[in-house]
Amino acid sequence: ARGNTTINTTLSHSARQGILSTGTVQVDPTMARVIALYPLPNGEVFGDTGLFIFANSEVGDEDFVTGRLDQNFGDLDRLFLRYSFDDGARVDETNFALGVRRNATRNQSLALEQTHILSPAVLNTARFGLLRTVTVGGETTTQVPGTDDQSLAFLPHTGVVGIIDVRGLSEFPGGSGALDRDAHAFSSFQYSDDLAWLGGRHSLRFGGRLERTRFNTDSQNRVSGDYRFPGIAEMLTNRPDRFRAQFPGTDTVRGHRQWIGSVYAQDTIQLSRAITLQLGLRYEMASVPTEVNGKVANLDELTSPVMRVGDPLFDNPSLLDFSPRVGLAVDPLRNGRFVVRAGYGIYPDLILSPYLLLAGVRNPPFFRRGSTTNLKQGDFPGGGYQAFLDNASADLFAERIPRRLSEPYVQQWTLNIETSLDRDSTLRLAYVGSHGLNLSSYTEDANLVEPVT
C-alpha cells in the first residue's frame, strides 16, 4: 500500500441551501438529489466551496508462479517446457471517494524448446511460444449507491449518473463505469527455428520466426455522457450549458489480427588469430493489422474530404525491411590483453496492433462523439440526451495514420576498447550511439520534423 492524499473542491453547506455569495437561488429538486452525493467539506471553506480531503491509499497485490520441466532424450535431444503466470491489481478511489478504481493485469506465457544435435557440427533449436496478456485500466465501481440511480441516469441504456463538470468544483466522477475504461486482451502464438553450423573458420547461423497476434480491445470513452455547468448557481438551478455523448451505433470494441515474420543469416568468420568478423542480414516484416468486423477507417491525408473506410489501414512500409548487421573484434597482441570491438546494425521498429489504441478504435464512422448546447433549464438529467439526438454537433476529430508511411527504424553502433592493466584490473572505454528515424513514439530529446501546411 502507498499512502496518498486527495484534495477535492466540493460545495459548502450554505451553497447546498441555495445561499450563495452572489445571492440566494431556488435549488432545483433534482439537483438537490445530486448535490447530496457530494461530500461536505472537511477542510477549509471558501464561501460557496470548501475542501474535501481524504486518504486515498493505493493498494497493490500481485501473485506470481513459474514452473519448468527439462527432459533429455538420449545424447542428441533435449526438451524444456516453461509456464509462467503473473496476476496483479492496483486499487484507489475516484474523486470525493465516491468509487473504487481498479487497474489489473494478468500475464501467462508458455515456452517449449527442443534442441537436436544433427551432427558434431550442426545444432538445431526449435521453439514454440504462447503469450496471453489481459489488462483492465480505469474500471470503476461505486461506493455510493445513489450514483447508480436509474432515475438520475443521463442515458436510458446506462442506468448510472454520468460525469458532471461544474466550474469551481472538482469533476464529479459519476457512477459505476462512467469514467474512461480500457480493457485489452493480447494473444501471441510464436514459432521459431535456428540452425547453427560450425565449419573451419566459419560459424554459420540461419533461422526464421513466425508470429500470429490477436489484439482485442475495448477503449471506452465517457459512455454515460457528461454535463457541463458554467457555475455553481447554474448547477443549483439546473441550467446546464453543454451535454456530450456518443452517437447511437458507436462502439469501441475492436479485434485486430496481424502476422509477423522474419528470417536471418549470420556468419562469424575467424579471419586470423587476431581478427574475427561477423556479418549478418535479417529480413523482418509485419502485415498491416486487420479488424475482424471490418471496422477500419483512416484519414489518409490531412486534406482528405472524408474518412476512408476499409482495409488497408495504411500501406505496408515493412515489405523491404532488410537489416544488415556487422561486427568486428581485433586482438592485435594475440594474447587477449588488448581487444578492440566494433559493431553496427539496423533494427526495424515494426508498427504492431497494440499501437492502435486510438487510431484503431476512435475514428468515425464507427466511433462518433458529439455535443449539444441547445439545452433549457431542467434538462438535467435525461433531457440533454434527447436534445443531443435532436440537434447534436459532431466532433470533427480523427486519430489518423498517414497512408504512405516510412518504416520506423533505429541504427545502432558501438566501439569498445578493453585492456588488462594488471592481474586484477581491466580498463574498458566504450562509445555507443544510436539514431532513430520515422519513429512511432519518442522519449526525452527526440528531434521532431517541423510540421508544414
Side-chain angles (χ1 to χ4, degrees):
R2 184 176 64 185
N4 295 315
T5 299
T6 297
I7 302 175
N8 294 143
T9 304
T10 186
L11 286 158
S12 68
H13 186 273
S14 60
R16 296 161 191 265
Q17 312 304 315
I19 305 172
L20 303 174
S21 57
T22 56
T24 302
V25 298
Q26 181 65 41
V27 179
D28 181 88
T30 300
M31 299 312 302
R33 295 171 58 197
V34 174
I35 293 166
L37 300 175
Y38 286 79
L40 286 165
N42 57 10
E44 190 172 357
V45 175
F46 309 98
D48 297 339
T49 65
L51 300 182
F52 176 69
I53 305 169
F54 66 100
N56 191 358
S57 297
E58 188 176 62
V59 180
D61 293 287
E62 185 170 13
D63 297 297
F64 175 81
V65 63
T66 185
R68 172 167 168 156
L69 174 67
D70 290 88
Q71 177 68 48
N72 291 332
F73 299 94
D75 297 328
L76 303 181
D77 285 281
R78 184 179 67 191
L79 184 75
F80 94 74
L81 176 68
R82 187 196 70 237
Y83 173 75
S84 297
F85 175 87
D86 187 356
D87 186 80
R90 191 176 70 250
V91 175
D92 67 350
E93 292 181 301
T94 62
N95 278 355
F96 306 112
L98 293 178
V100 173
R101 177 169 41 221
R102 181 174 179 268
N103 300 286
T105 62
R106 173 171 290 184
N107 301 313
Q108 299 180 78
S109 67
L110 178 72
L112 176 67
E113 179 182 279
Q114 189 226 5
T115 303
H116 179 63
I117 299 175
L118 298 173
S119 75
V122 182
L123 176 71
N124 188 80
T125 303
R127 300 181 185 89
F128 172 78
L130 172 63
L131 172 69
R132 172 74 170 174
T133 299
V134 178
T135 63
V136 176
E139 183 178 61
T140 57
T141 304
T142 189
Q143 300 184 110
V144 178
T147 63
D148 285 2
D149 187 339
Q150 172 70 49
S151 65
L152 292 177
F154 301 175
L155 308 178
H157 53 277
T158 61
V160 303
V161 179
I163 296 171
I164 304 174
D165 180 18
V166 183
R167 180 172 296 178
L169 301 180
S170 297
E171 184 178 80
F172 187 86
S176 299
L179 294 174
D180 289 0
R181 171 184 174 272
D182 289 295
H184 312 302
F186 178 79
S187 300
S188 171
F189 307 88
Q190 308 163 20
Y191 176 78
S192 67
D193 195 277
D194 298 279
L195 183 71
W197 176 73
L198 300 176
R201 295 174 177 265
H202 295 269
S203 175
L204 292 167
R205 292 181 65 88
F206 306 93
R209 178 174 178 270
L210 184 64
E211 180 179 4
R212 175 66 168 176
T213 65
R214 300 188 303 182
F215 182 55
N216 299 322
T217 181
D218 182 6
S219 182
Q220 297 180 4
N221 179 235
R222 302 201 170 194
V223 294
S224 300
D226 66 86
Y227 275 100
R228 186 182 69 186
F229 293 87
I232 294 174
E234 288 80 7
M235 175 197 184
L236 297 177
T237 54
N238 199 342
R239 288 181 289 149
D241 68 345
R242 188 191 67 193
F243 177 76
R244 292 193 304 186
Q246 297 177 11
F247 284 95
T250 282
D251 79 277
T252 54
V253 176
R254 301 289 183 271
H256 293 109
R257 304 292 184 263
Q258 190 172 33
W259 288 99
I260 304 163
S262 63
V263 293
Y264 75 92
Q266 177 180 297
D267 188 7
T268 302
I269 312 168
Q270 192 70 45
L271 297 177
S272 68
R273 287 182 55 193
I275 302 176
T276 302
L277 177 66
Q278 191 175 77
L279 299 174
L281 181 65
R282 182 181 181 89
Y283 174 74
E284 191 167 6
M285 64 82 65
S287 66
V288 177
T290 59
E291 206 281 322
V292 291
N293 294 310
K295 294 182 178 181
V296 174
N298 194 20
L299 190 70
D300 289 340
E301 306 292 341
L302 288 174
T303 55
S304 298
V306 295
M307 300 289 293
R308 177 181 57 82
V309 175
D311 293 319
L313 182 60
F314 51 85
D315 295 336
N316 196 337
S318 71
L319 298 179
L320 297 177
D321 274 358
F322 293 95
S323 305
R325 316 280 167 87
V326 59
L328 179 68
V330 181
D331 180 10
L333 303 180
R334 300 187 180 184
N335 60 8
R337 295 179 60 84
F338 182 82
V339 180
V340 179
R341 298 181 180 89
Y344 172 82
I346 294 178
Y347 302 85
D349 179 19
L350 299 176
I351 301 173
L352 305 178
S353 56
Y355 294 169
L356 306 179
L357 292 177
L358 293 179
V361 177
R362 297 185 182 178
N363 267 341
F366 307 110
F367 176 83
R368 295 177 65 232
R369 277 183 59 86
S371 62
T372 182
T373 57
N374 188 28
L375 301 172
K376 61 183 183 300
Q377 187 170 9
D379 270 344
F380 181 97
Y385 186 59
Q386 186 58 53
F388 171 83
L389 296 177
D390 294 339
N391 184 21
S393 175
D395 292 346
L396 298 178
F397 182 83
E399 290 284 352
R400 67 178 296 267
I401 295 179
R403 175 69 182 267
R404 286 170 288 277
L405 287 167
S406 297
E407 177 66 14
Y409 69 94
V410 176
Q411 303 175 70
Q412 295 184 353
W413 57 91
T414 180
L415 175 65
N416 185 313
I417 301 173
E418 186 173 329
T419 182
S420 296
L421 300 179
D422 54 41
R423 188 176 63 180
D424 302 318
S425 302
T426 299
L427 176 67
R428 179 183 299 162
L429 180 65
Y431 170 74
V432 179
S434 66
H435 182 211
L437 294 170
N438 310 314
L439 299 180
S440 58
S441 60
Y442 70 95
T443 58
E444 298 180 354
D445 58 349
N447 300 314
L448 297 180
V449 176
E450 290 294 330
V452 294
T453 303

